[in-house]
Amino acid sequence: RGGADPRDALAVADAVAAEEGLVLGGVMAVAPREGDPAEAFDRLNAVAAEVRDRYPRARTVSAGMSGDLEAAVYRGATHLRVGTALLDDRGPNVG
């Protein structure tokens, strides 16, 4: 699903923090469609800890969607995306 490689997360955080007008609030990830989401959220938790060590105000961990929210919360998510649980699967909204 793209995004930054975990090894590059601190460099991305540094770039965001260096930009005037931007505030580094934390990290965000979406688990892969296949496999155990817990593994992805474990990696995100480690990345979040590294980012917080350098930027203590970056406390947000946005992870988890309707299908994997328990694994995300267990591993430190502070924000979730639960649209499908609330609104059902509405299909694509374009095309």
Side-chain angles (χ1 to χ4, degrees), residues 7-93:
R7 295 170 293 196
D8 298 330
L10 283 178
V12 172
D14 290 342
V16 170
E19 287 297 319
E20 185 176 332
L22 295 181
V23 176
L24 179 65
V27 297
M28 184 195 102
V30 176
R33 293 182 193 274
E34 303 297 324
D36 183 4
E39 293 176 15
F41 298 141
D42 282 337
R43 284 191 302 274
L44 179 62
N45 191 11
V47 167
E50 288 180 11
V51 170
R52 271 193 312 273
D53 283 348
R54 189 172 293 180
Y55 300 99
R57 296 177 72 192
R59 309 237 19 110
T60 298
V61 179
S62 178
M65 299 192 318
S66 297
D68 56 22
L69 65 95
E70 292 90 353
V73 169
Y74 182 77
R75 287 159 183 85
T78 61
H79 293 68
L80 305 165
R81 294 170 298 282
V82 293
T84 300
L86 297 173
L87 304 171
D88 202 11
D89 186 1
R90 296 167 289 149
N93 61 4

